[in-house]
Amino acid sequence: MSVQALAGIKVLDVATLFAGPMAATLLGDHGAEVIKVEHPRGDPARTHGASKDGVGLWWKMLGRNKKSLTLYLGSAEGQRIFRELAADADVIIENFRPGTLERWGLGYDVLAADNPGLVLARVTGFGQFGPYSSRPGFGTLAEAMSGFAALTGEPDGPPTLPPFGLADGVAALTTSFGIMTALRARESTGRGQVLDMAIIEPLLTVLGPQITAYDQLGTLQARTGNRSTNNAPRNTYRCSDGNWVAVSTSAQSIAERVMRLVGRAELIDEPWFATGRTRAEHADELDEAVGSWIAARDRDEVVAAFEKAEAAVAPIYTAADIMADSQYAALGSVLQIDDDELGPLKMPNIPFRLSDTPGEIRTTGPKLGEHTAEILAGFGVDEAKLASLREQGVA
């Protein structure tokens, strides 16, 4: 296998739960050496969500391609060891409340004095400054404050939160991009820098022009359920076998193909059918036409007919469907890897493919402190010293 793109980059993952650690996971997928620096109690992600035989399944994915080092940063000895680790690192990812690293004597000025090329990614709910910066912040709060929840749900229903870590995931992707941007800048300047990632911000971009529309038009986007104000038909529809499909007609040609397929070609000649926004004003009529046609057929028949008509449709999948799907199988989107604790284990693969330097999932999430002795040995900590550190609660 060719050398991985980030081979030679050393990352200290000092963050907990999701956004920061996931950014480190993405870097590790492409060859970065990621050391997960955990409190001796362990990252809370280890016990978050479903488990098998007492082993957290989310952790197995989030901790992949990482080494686990236990270290209590609240102690003077832990801080000394961390400074040694940081002097040899390219990237640190942390998500403590602003001021915590500084209180421990681990602020960027201290760390960069020994390592001017260091990139410090600080991932918090609200950023490093401003009136909310000291508040505890989670992805749920970002989903609420970004406008996402206000846009999500049925028109007559409450704002709706996603049943997964959406804001954390988007922030993780953005953080990994920010880190790579800083590393690229370092090639020109020779200096590292601080990346300030507020989890409330990335969703603002993903949600599109809501802010621009309010600024220029004074309009606020309303909840529309599964419908869109920009095109129709666009919804989920139930098939005769109880399964569901989603239909999108963002392109005019697709909208026309759908109406011909469902036997309502006459609607294409209506003046309002000519644009997505005016079609959306007639969503009830279009949904009835498409929904009744789909309701008379099972899912396989619907998908096959749409595919033949070159119209856009997708089945509503569960995890079971994903693992049985031929397209996901062709892409290798689900990977099976052996785990020391659970045996063969499947998880989502790396979310993109590089032709020359592909990423690789080499290991699943490690046991707590699994690599502590190995890592600290490189800094002169022998077995006796490690035993003393553990007795003191430092490692």
Side-chain angles (χ1 to χ4, degrees), residues 94 96-107 122 128 133:
E94 64 97 0
F96 301 108
R97 288 200 197 185
T100 300
L101 284 186
E102 288 74 10
R103 190 170 67 251
W104 288 339
L106 301 174
R122 316 194 74 169
Q128 295 296 307
S133 61

Side-chain angles (χ1 to χ4, degrees), residues 13-363:
D13 172 9
V14 201
T16 56
L17 292 174
F18 307 116
M22 191 182 300
T25 301
L26 296 170
L27 300 178
D29 287 347
H30 289 276
E33 179 187 357
V34 180
I35 298 175
K36 176 71 180 179
V37 181
E38 301 182 70
H39 190 287
R41 292 193 302 265
D43 188 322
R46 288 181 175 273
T47 57
H48 201 91
S51 64
K52 180 182 178 182
D53 299 332
V55 178
L57 301 181
W58 203 332
W59 168 253
K60 286 299 177 182
M61 174 184 170
L62 189 65
R64 71 190 191 197
N65 292 335
K66 298 180 184 181
K67 296 179 178 180
S68 173
L69 163 68
T70 52
L71 192 64
Y72 176 45
L73 297 183
S75 67
E77 182 65 5
Q79 292 155 13
R80 185 194 66 77
I81 293 172
F82 186 77
R83 284 194 294 271
E84 289 192 24
L85 292 168
D88 189 43
D90 296 283
V91 177
I92 296 175
I93 304 174
E94 64 97 0
N95 69 341
F96 301 108
R97 288 200 197 185
T100 300
L101 284 186
E102 288 74 10
R103 190 170 67 251
W104 288 339
L106 301 174
Y108 186 72
D109 56 340
V110 174
L111 301 179
D114 294 328
N115 183 358
L118 180 67
V119 172
L120 175 61
R122 316 194 74 169
V123 185
T124 57
F126 301 100
Q128 295 296 307
F129 57 92
Y132 304 161
S133 61
S134 63
R135 293 181 181 180
F138 298 99
T140 297
L141 308 188
E143 289 144 11
M145 291 181 61
S146 64
F148 174 85
L151 301 179
T152 307
E154 293 299 323
D156 56 351
T160 302
L161 295 167
F164 64 99
L166 174 66
D168 281 304
V170 175
L173 291 165
T174 310
T175 299
S176 63
F177 172 72
I179 289 169
M180 296 311 302
T181 303
L183 290 175
R184 175 63 183 88
R186 188 178 70 173
E187 295 178 7
S188 301
T189 67
R191 300 188 307 275
Q193 57 186 299
V194 176
L195 165 61
D196 179 5
M197 170 56 62
I199 298 176
I200 60 173
E201 290 187 295
L203 278 178
L204 298 180
T205 298
V206 174
L207 287 168
Q210 60 164 346
I211 291 174
T212 306
Y214 180 69
D215 172 66
Q216 295 296 305
L217 304 173
T219 58
L220 294 172
Q221 186 174 337
R223 289 190 290 282
T224 57
N226 290 324
R227 288 179 172 177
S228 168
T229 58
N230 297 312
N231 67 82
R234 191 262 197 184
N235 212 327
T236 58
Y237 306 92
R238 186 167 182 160
C239 306
S240 63
D241 57 1
N243 288 307
W244 292 76
V245 296
V247 172
S248 176
T249 57
S250 296
Q252 182 68 23
S253 59
I254 298 294
E256 293 176 5
R257 290 173 194 165
V258 169
M259 301 322 297
R260 292 191 184 99
L261 172 63
V262 302
R264 298 297 301 275
E266 78 279 2
L267 294 178
I268 298 172
D269 297 325
E270 294 287 347
W272 50 262
F273 199 88
T275 71
R277 290 196 69 86
T278 51
R279 289 201 310 273
E281 295 171 0
H282 293 261
D284 286 343
E285 185 174 358
L286 293 172
D287 274 347
E288 192 284 326
V290 175
S292 61
W293 186 89
I294 289 176
R297 295 159 175 82
D298 65 33
R299 185 175 73 179
D300 290 346
E301 184 180 358
V302 170
V303 172
F306 268 73
E307 183 175 357
K308 183 177 180 180
E310 298 184 353
V313 71
I316 304 294
Y317 273 177
T318 65
D321 297 312
I322 292 168
M323 292 173 69
D325 182 81
S326 59
Q327 181 61 31
Y328 280 124
L331 294 173
S333 305
V334 177
L335 178 76
Q336 180 169 297
I337 183 171
D338 288 330
D339 177 74
D340 291 342
E341 297 178 282
L342 299 175
L345 179 71
K346 291 182 179 179
M347 67 175 64
N349 208 341
I350 298 165
F352 60 87
R353 287 161 293 280
L354 293 174
S355 60
D356 291 343
T357 56
E360 179 186 22
I361 299 177
R362 302 174 297 281
T363 62

